[in-house]
């Protein structure tokens, strides 16, 4: 790539004022929310420029800054790539370098939305309950040194406190992570933290602030060096931070904004609704639930990507079984949505050969993903008197994956905040029933009613035995009719 000119901000790109601060700027928001905002401004105007914040490392800022924060989006359709230079992001801050600058930006009266994609682990909560984990090191740090927040909830509380003290209305907190009732959950977390800081702040947030729930959807595989190279070859311009994404996108938002101040989302296809729950259940359980199942079983079976996994009849058949028999029967679809059609479209999205979405990328942070993606469907099946054996196999595949050794005997790079604890379950127990009991006793992941359920215990033991005896692909093939 050396010698190629660097991507620059197009000379005719608008320069809107900053109306949105986005915490956790990464590939997903750049390929999803930022594009909707750009289109909404193009259609209906408004100052909804984005100031991105990285809560950790400077890497992305360092790549984007020389490009004026513009970047290429590559839509990977079955028939080829469509490129666009995205310009909604105006600038970026790296929080640990200057926490005061981030707080000042969040307290700016012109900023009326603070959106977040900090991934499941960024909320410092216990996934089985959705409550703040006060023993989380970032929360301990937030409470110890008010001037230098570390966590996303810490930044929200401190910035809201500044606004309150300055007599400025709060911003709307727009959570865009794949969590159950994400806005309501984040509201609970922020209120818990705020109450520890100052009861008056908590009361003010409770009364004045808005935390709409959202459902976000677009498959965005991590950009690789090979993607950067390919793009440079094709365009003759070097973009150090492009994003890859599928054609499909969806954004459903609860229409609850402070002072009704929001971009003209409706003009660009965002669905503004009164209740996001049916959409969220559909998406988290049908898409993310099977994504995680494919990630663990597919990885164990040697499939590097989702499209490679669903090209195998055993794994594709297994996923269809999950939808038809174990997930859809316990879902209430949003009105007007046919879940048969929805899941068929999902299979096509998974099979898109243009998208190289790695099973190991999706396998990350399973301890924080399983509850909303899979355990909810299991609980609903058990309540209806059914044993969801395919979902048990998916959970057992996660247990098998976090052992850290694959079916081929090679080490697995397990990325999970709980990785050491998960590995210890294997090290400290000998028999499969003991291993299953060891996992079920992790109360941050498994709610009590599930952990104690005899059908769940027996089902997991059977599934883990099958994985160890015959391997992931064969075990999955048992579900194919
Ligand atoms: C994936 C999601 O990495 C993962 O855990 O399941 O990022 C998924 O691709 C998106 O939620 C799709 O909208």
């Amino acid at each position: 790539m050396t010698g190629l000119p660097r991507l620059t901000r197009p000379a005719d790109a608008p320069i809107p004022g900053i109306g949105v601060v986005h915490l956790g700027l990464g590939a997903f928001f750049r390929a999803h929310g930022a594009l909707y905002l750009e289109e909404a401004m193009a259609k209906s105007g408004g100052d909804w420029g984005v100031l991105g914040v990285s809560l950790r490392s400077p890497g992305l800022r360092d790549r984007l800054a020389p490009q004026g924060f513009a970047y290429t989006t590559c839509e990977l359709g079955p028939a080829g790539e469509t490129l666009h230079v995205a310009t909604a992001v105006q600038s970026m801050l790296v929080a640990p370098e200057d926490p005061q600058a981030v707080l000042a930006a969040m307290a700016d009266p012109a900023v009326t939305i603070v959106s977040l994609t900090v991934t499941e682990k960024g909320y410092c909560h216990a996934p089985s309950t959705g409550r703040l984990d006060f023993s989380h090191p970032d929360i301990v740090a937030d409470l110890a040194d008010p001037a230098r927040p570390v966590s996303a909830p810490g930044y929200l509380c401190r910035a809201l406190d500044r606004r309150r003290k300055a007599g400025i209305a709060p911003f709307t907190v727009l959570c865009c992570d794949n969590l159950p009732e994400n806005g309501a959950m984040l509201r609970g977390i922020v209120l818990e933290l705020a109450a520890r800081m100052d009861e008056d702040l908590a009361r003010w947030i409770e009364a004045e602030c808005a935390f709409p729930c959202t459902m976000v959807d677009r498959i965005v595989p991590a950009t690789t060096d090979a993607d950067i190279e390919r793009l440079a070859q094709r365009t003759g311009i070097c973009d150090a931070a492009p994003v890859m994404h599928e054609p499909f996108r969806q954004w459903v938002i609860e229409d609850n904004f402070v002072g009704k101040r929001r971009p003209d989302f409706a003009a660009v296809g965002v669905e503004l609704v009164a209740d996001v729950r049916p959409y969220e259940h559909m998406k988290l359980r049908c898409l993310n639930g099977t994504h995680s199942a494919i990630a663990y079983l597919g990885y164990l079976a040697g499939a590097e990507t989702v499209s490679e996994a669903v090209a195998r009849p055993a794994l594709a058949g297994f996923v269809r079984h999950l939808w038809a028999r174990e997930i859809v029967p316990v879902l209430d679809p949003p009105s007007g949505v046919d879940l048969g059609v929805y899941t068929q479209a999902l299979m096509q999205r998974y099979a898109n050969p243009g998208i190289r979405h790695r099973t190991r990328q999706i396998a990350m942070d399973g301890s924080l993903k399983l509850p909303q993606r899979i355990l909810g469907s299991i609980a609903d099946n058990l309540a209806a008197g059914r044993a969801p054996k395919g979902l048990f196999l998916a959970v057992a595949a996660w247990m098998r994956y976090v052992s850290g050794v694959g079916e081929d005997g090679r080490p697995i790079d397990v990325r999970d905040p709980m990785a050491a604890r998960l590995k210890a379950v294997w090290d400290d127990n000998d028999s499969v029933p003991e291993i299953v009991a060891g996992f079920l006793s992790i109360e941050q992941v498994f709610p009590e009613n599930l952990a104690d359920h005899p059908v769940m215990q027996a089902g997991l033991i059977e599934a883990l035995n099958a994985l160890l005896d015959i391997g992931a692909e064969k075990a999955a093939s048992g579900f194919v009719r």
Side-chain angles (χ1 to χ4, degrees):
M1 278 186 325
T2 37
L4 292 181
R6 191 69 181 263
L7 177 73
T8 51
R9 205 175 176 82
D12 57 350
I15 306 179
I18 303 290
V20 179
V21 170
H22 185 82
L23 303 183
L25 189 71
F28 182 78
F29 186 78
R30 293 194 296 132
H32 185 266
L35 297 181
Y36 280 105
L37 289 172
E38 182 178 327
E39 290 164 31
M41 286 189 279
K43 278 221 163 140
S44 313
D47 282 319
W48 299 108
V50 177
L51 172 75
V53 176
S54 163
L55 290 174
R56 306 256 176 256
S57 63
L60 182 62
R61 189 270 321 269
D62 293 347
R63 286 171 178 243
L64 284 177
Q67 312 180 170
F69 300 93
Y71 55 90
T72 314
T73 60
C74 303
E75 181 173 299
L76 304 164
E81 293 183 348
T82 311
L83 307 182
H84 165 74
V85 176
T87 57
V89 177
Q90 306 301 310
S91 187
M92 197 171 166
L93 293 171
V94 179
E97 288 177 0
D98 193 351
Q100 296 311 315
V102 175
L103 290 173
M106 294 170 78
D108 185 328
V111 168
T112 59
I113 296 177
V114 171
S115 50
L116 300 91
T117 45
V118 293
T119 80
E120 293 84 350
K121 59 178 173 280
Y123 294 92
C124 310
H125 69 298
S128 60
T129 61
R131 304 279 305 270
L132 184 64
D133 174 4
F134 278 104
S135 68
H136 193 292
D138 292 357
I139 298 300
V140 173
D142 285 343
L143 287 168
D145 185 356
R148 292 187 68 86
V150 179
S151 74
Y155 271 100
L156 291 171
C157 287
R158 292 296 170 201
L160 286 166
D161 197 34
R162 281 202 185 190
R163 293 177 82 110
R164 178 178 70 108
K165 289 179 175 151
I168 303 166
F171 41 71
T172 297
V173 181
L174 194 63
C175 177
C176 300
D177 276 300
N178 288 312
L179 290 159
E181 293 178 55
N182 55 9
M185 197 194 85
L186 180 51
R187 179 173 187 268
I189 287 170
V190 166
L191 288 177
E192 279 187 282
L193 184 58
R196 280 283 173 97
M197 295 171 168
D198 176 346
E199 286 286 350
D200 288 340
L201 171 64
R203 272 192 288 274
W204 182 77
I205 296 174
E206 192 166 20
E208 307 288 335
C209 199
F211 295 78
C213 289
T214 70
M215 180 271 251
V216 293
D217 191 6
R218 174 163 259 182
I219 291 175
V220 181
T223 302
T224 62
D225 289 344
D227 292 324
I228 293 176
E229 187 66 37
R230 192 184 66 246
L231 194 65
Q233 298 291 345
R234 175 167 167 195
T235 60
I237 291 171
C238 168
D239 179 347
V243 289
M244 310 288 126
H245 65 81
E246 65 170 341
F248 182 89
R249 67 176 185 178
Q250 190 175 13
W251 200 1
V252 186
I253 305 179
E254 180 187 344
D255 199 3
N256 170 26
F257 287 76
V258 176
K260 298 197 182 337
R261 290 181 68 180
R262 58 164 164 75
D264 190 0
F265 280 132
V268 292
V270 176
E271 294 158 80
L272 294 156
V273 303
D275 183 4
V276 175
R277 271 173 306 180
Y279 297 89
E280 167 213 301
H281 275 165
M282 167 179 85
K283 193 263 173 171
L284 287 181
R285 292 181 176 196
C286 291
L287 192 161
N288 298 107
T290 56
H291 242 184
S292 289
I294 292 169
Y296 300 117
L297 287 159
Y299 183 95
L300 291 170
E304 200 191 336
T305 65
V306 172
S307 61
E308 270 172 53
V310 298
R312 302 191 187 186
L315 293 174
F318 175 71
V319 169
R320 288 201 183 91
H321 161 87
L322 289 183
W323 284 325
R325 298 298 180 92
E326 303 189 16
I327 298 177
V328 169
V330 287
L331 268 184
D332 282 328
S335 78
V337 175
D338 177 334
L339 290 176
V341 174
Y342 181 78
T343 53
Q344 246 175 12
L346 280 184
M347 187 52 94
Q348 273 169 11
R349 291 169 64 192
Y350 291 173
N352 178 351
I355 295 272
R356 291 193 53 73
H357 201 185
R358 290 183 167 65
T359 46
R360 69 176 141 80
Q361 183 187 345
I362 301 165
M364 259 190 317
D365 298 339
S367 67
L368 290 126
K369 290 176 173 174
L370 288 191
Q372 58 275 14
R373 295 178 175 213
I374 295 183
L375 301 185
S377 297
I378 290 183
D380 288 351
N381 275 281
L382 292 174
R386 286 192 295 267
K389 292 193 169 189
L391 294 170
F392 291 153
L393 184 64
V395 175
W398 166 72
M399 294 175 173
R400 173 77 184 77
Y401 181 90
V402 299
S403 74
V405 181
E407 287 183 1
D408 53 8
R410 299 232 293 265
I412 302 175
D413 177 17
V414 178
R415 307 249 172 131
D416 192 300
M418 268 195 201
R421 173 141 188 222
L422 303 173
K423 172 85 171 52
V425 173
W426 285 88
D427 295 342
D428 299 348
N429 295 287
D430 295 322
S431 70
V432 165
E434 282 170 346
I435 291 168
V436 166
F439 277 109
L440 288 177
S441 71
I442 304 177
E443 58 199 20
Q444 291 95 321
V445 179
F446 294 97
E448 217 178 272
N449 59 336
L450 273 189
D452 291 346
H453 203 294
V455 177
M456 172 95 169
Q457 293 167 348
L460 288 174
I461 293 170
E462 188 186 329
L464 190 53
N465 270 322
L467 286 173
L468 294 169
D469 291 347
I470 58 175
E473 193 155 354
K474 270 220 174 100
S477 71
F479 292 85
V480 181
R481 285 185 302 154

